[in-house]
Amino acid sequence: MIDFDRAEAVREDGPVSLTAKEFALLEILSRNQGKVVTTDAICNALWGGDAFGYENPLNAHIRRVREKIERDPSHPVSLITCKGLGYKLMVCR
C-alpha cells in the first residue's frame, strides 16, 4: 500500500523505508499501475531531461525498491521489467 499524502509505503509486515528517489519512482509506477512506463519517462520524471546517462542509476533504484517491496526480489511479481520498454507495477492481492 502506498500513502501519497504521508509519503509512505507499507507491506503486510510493516512500513517500508524508502529514500525520496525510491518513493518518487514507486509513485510514478503506481500512478500508472498495470501500464508500462518507459525508461525515458521515468528518467525524465526523476532527473529531468532525457534518459541518457541515467539508465544505471535507474536500474540501481529499481533493484533497491524491489528488495524492499518484493517477497523474492530475484523473481519479482509486483515491479516488472518490460525488456526494451521500461517497467510496470502490478497489483498483487
Side-chain angles (χ1 to χ4, degrees):
M1 184 180 88
I2 302 168
D3 184 338
F4 296 111
D5 294 330
R6 296 171 68 187
E8 293 179 343
V10 180
R11 287 177 32 146
E12 50 198 38
D13 58 348
V16 177
S17 176
L18 297 168
T19 67
K21 281 281 193 241
E22 291 168 352
F23 184 80
L25 171 60
L26 199 53
E27 182 176 11
I28 293 162
L29 293 169
S30 68
R31 293 196 186 273
N32 293 283
Q33 206 164 44
K35 299 176 186 172
V36 175
V37 182
T38 66
T39 300
D40 285 345
I42 296 169
C43 289
N44 186 42
L46 292 179
W47 292 287
D50 63 28
F52 184 75
Y54 289 106
E55 293 90 353
N56 287 336
L58 176 59
N59 290 338
H61 284 295
I62 292 287
R63 180 180 40 81
R64 283 194 299 273
V65 169
R66 276 190 180 134
E67 289 170 354
K68 294 176 180 184
I69 68 168
E70 296 282 358
R71 284 193 179 136
D72 181 1
S74 298
H75 300 94
V77 296
S78 298
L79 181 47
I80 307 298
T81 300
C82 300
K83 296 223 186 268
L85 296 172
Y87 301 91
K88 67 181 171 180
L89 188 66
M90 302 300 295
V91 177
C92 295
R93 297 186 198 268

